[in-house]
Amino acid sequence: MMILLHNCSRLLQLFLHQGYQTLKIGAVFGCLAMFFATLPAYAAADLDVNTPAVAAVKASMQSRHLQLLPHYQSGAVGLTADGFVAVKEAGLVPLSQRSALTALVKDENADRARLYQGMAAANGHPEWEGEIQRTFAQRWVDKAQAGWFVQRDGQWVRK
Amino acid sequence: MRTGLLVLSATGLSACVTINIYFPAAAAEKAADKVIDEIWQVPAGQSPASSRHSAPTATPVTPSATPVTPTVNPESVP
């Protein structure tokens, strides 16, 4: 009986020791893995990329901005809460120019969608598109000039 | 038992990798600011009337962009 108990405790000791060693190895490997796993994450943390696709979209949006600017200022076009633009008050534009305005807004939104998608893809994380779009939505609104209309909680607000 | 623990640690490792691929919100904000500034910046010399804060960069360009003075000269110069 005594021998059995002794054997038992010896076995337990061995088990614990073995477990401790394995845990130690596991901890070391875990730390190493975490270190290497965070490296690419930090390397990828620079979202400012300029692939040809993103550069083309930016150039297109930049030249369109001159056409959109008077409409932002008049309030005909506003910045939506989801990172796009929308015709807010079509009545401010002469009837003859309304279809051109609609096309302008449509083209701008297509470019914006391409921009969000392109930036996510360029970073190797297409699944970030939604987050990038949300970030942009916030920044467009924050950076909008005084007098422009922005959407907040479903309401148009003049900055 | 050893293999069991190895499997466990392997699962832990993969968990570490999954957790660490997060969305870099601060970097995204910085990138967004840069892109927006690029897009909304009025190209120099195109419409100086609507540019407010880019006045210093626009001034060196405007003299060359406005060919008003040369047109007056032919009147006085023979």
Side-chain angles (χ1 to χ4, degrees), chain A residues 87-103:
Chain A
V87 177
K88 189 203 138 261
E89 185 97 52
L92 291 168
V93 174
L95 202 62
S96 57
Q97 289 173 26
R98 277 186 208 165
S99 61
L101 179 72
T102 313

Side-chain angles (χ1 to χ4, degrees), chain B:
Chain B
M1 189 198 79
R2 228 196 148 90
T3 47
L5 274 164
L6 269 174
V7 167
L8 199 77
S9 58
T11 339
L13 288 188
S14 63
C16 284
V17 173
T18 345
I19 287 163
N20 274 297
I21 299 173
Y22 62 101
F23 178 70
E29 207 162 285
K30 226 160 54 178
D33 279 357
K34 208 178 153 206
V35 170
I36 293 170
D37 283 344
E38 265 175 68
I39 290 168
W40 276 357
Q41 171 218 359
V42 178
Q46 283 228 5
S47 66
S50 58
S51 70
R52 277 152 293 267
H53 46 81
S54 58
T57 51
T59 23
V61 185
T62 29
S64 61
T66 48
V68 184
T69 33
T71 49
V72 190
N73 287 347
E75 287 279 338
S76 52
V77 176

Side-chain angles (χ1 to χ4, degrees), chain A residues 30-100:
Chain A
C31 284
L32 272 175
M34 256 169 88
F35 175 71
F36 283 112
T38 43
L39 270 186
Y42 280 117
D46 179 32
L47 269 104
D48 181 30
V49 280
N50 226 347
T51 59
V54 171
V57 172
K58 276 198 287 193
S60 158
M61 288 173 77
Q62 195 180 356
S63 61
R64 192 182 298 106
H65 179 62
L66 280 178
Q67 291 166 267
L68 278 168
L69 188 62
H71 298 304
Y72 289 143
Q73 286 163 344
S74 73
V77 175
L79 304 167
T80 65
D82 58 353
F84 290 105
V85 295
V87 177
K88 189 203 138 261
E89 185 97 52
L92 291 168
V93 174
L95 202 62
S96 57
Q97 289 173 26
R98 277 186 208 165
S99 61

